[in-house]
Every structure is written in C-alpha cells, then in structure tokens.
Amino acid sequence: GPVAETFRAIQGAMTEEYVRSTQGVFQFELSGEGGGTWYIDLKSKGGSAGFGKPPVAADVVMSMSSADFVKMFT
C-alpha cells in the first residue's frame, strides 16, 4: 500500500551522512489503511525504516492518519 511504499522510498534515500547529521528516531502511530506502528531510525548506523517499533527508543512519536502521513512525505 501507499504507507509501505513511502517507507521503502525513505529507506532507499537514506545515507550515512543524513543519519549522522540528523541523529533522531521517529515513531509514527498511523490510523486507517496501512496503519499501525512504523518508524524511521536516523540515529543507528546506516539508519533504517519500517513497520513495528524502532530498534532504539524513539525521540519523537507522531500520531496521524495514514493518508496524512503519505501526504506529508509526498
């Protein structure tokens, strides 16, 4: 779905430099189609993004609809 595709695009765009400069972990609590808990880890080596809880504690937790999440990143 659109949420999973957005996270795949985010994962593909990550660079070591971006992770080093950001140093943050973002957790998204999404409602609606494709919802659930998702994360973007821009703190751990190499970074990661995907479904479920982040591998380390989140610095920011955002709750929104999955439709708003996709709009925010497109």
Side-chain angles (χ1 to χ4, degrees), residues 46-70:
S48 62
F51 184 75
K53 296 265 186 198
V56 295
D59 297 301
V60 176
V61 178
M62 292 184 241
S63 298
M64 65 185 72
S65 73
S66 56
D68 285 345
F69 171 83
V70 172

Side-chain angles (χ1 to χ4, degrees), residues 3-4 6-11 14 26-28 30 34-41 47-55 69:
V3 172
T6 302
F7 275 95
R8 273 194 295 278
I10 292 166
Q11 177 72 47
M14 280 186 196
F26 304 89
Q27 181 174 320
F28 299 89
L30 304 180
T37 300
W38 294 80
Y39 72 92
I40 302 171
D41 177 358
S48 62
F51 184 75
K53 296 265 186 198
F69 171 83

Side-chain angles (χ1 to χ4, degrees), residues 15-44:
T15 65
E16 212 32 77
E17 181 180 323
Y18 194 61
V19 171
R20 193 171 34 256
S21 66
T22 305
Q23 289 297 296
V25 178
F26 304 89
Q27 181 174 320
F28 299 89
E29 297 296 338
L30 304 180
S31 60
E33 185 180 341
T37 300
W38 294 80
Y39 72 92
I40 302 171
D41 177 358
L42 295 171
K43 189 180 273 187
S44 302

